Amino acid sequence: MREGIHPAYGPVVFRDRAADYAFLTRSTMTSEKTIEWEDGQTYPVVDVEISDVSHPFYTGTARVLDTAGRVERFERRYGKKG
């Protein structure tokens, strides 16, 4: 890799404020805010609005659409055109 053209890549804590959940990973994102992690080290922290812990798709609270029932209801309401 060429020197000086890539952003710094290092440990960062991502914190989901809605779910009160945080995880440590590596990223090129930076932040002025820091947090002391479980290992006693201080890392930059990036607050996110949604993560796999709070997103409806991952938590199972997503509403599943019954497309077959919706089509049948539409046909009953407006009749089938033949």
Side-chain angles (χ1 to χ4, degrees):
M1 290 188 349
R2 288 183 15 204
E3 294 294 322
I5 63 168
H6 300 285
Y9 182 73
V12 177
V13 174
F14 285 92
R15 180 171 50 187
D16 183 348
R17 301 294 263 169
D20 194 31
Y21 175 74
F23 58 94
L24 177 65
T25 187
R26 294 178 58 85
S27 176
T28 58
M29 290 189 74
T30 59
S31 174
E32 297 296 320
K33 294 187 279 183
T34 59
I35 189 171
E36 187 173 329
W37 194 242
E38 300 158 356
D39 61 2
Q41 298 286 331
T42 302
Y43 299 107
V45 63
V46 176
D47 290 324
V48 293
E49 294 181 22
I50 197 162
S51 71
D52 64 323
V53 176
S54 63
H55 192 280
F57 177 78
Y58 294 106
T59 60
T61 58
R63 199 175 83 187
V64 178
L65 295 177
D66 178 20
T67 56
R70 294 177 83 185
V71 170
E72 291 167 359
R73 189 173 64 224
F74 178 83
E75 288 176 350
R76 275 196 316 265
R77 185 177 294 166
Y78 299 106
K80 253 185 163 177
K81 299 234 175 184

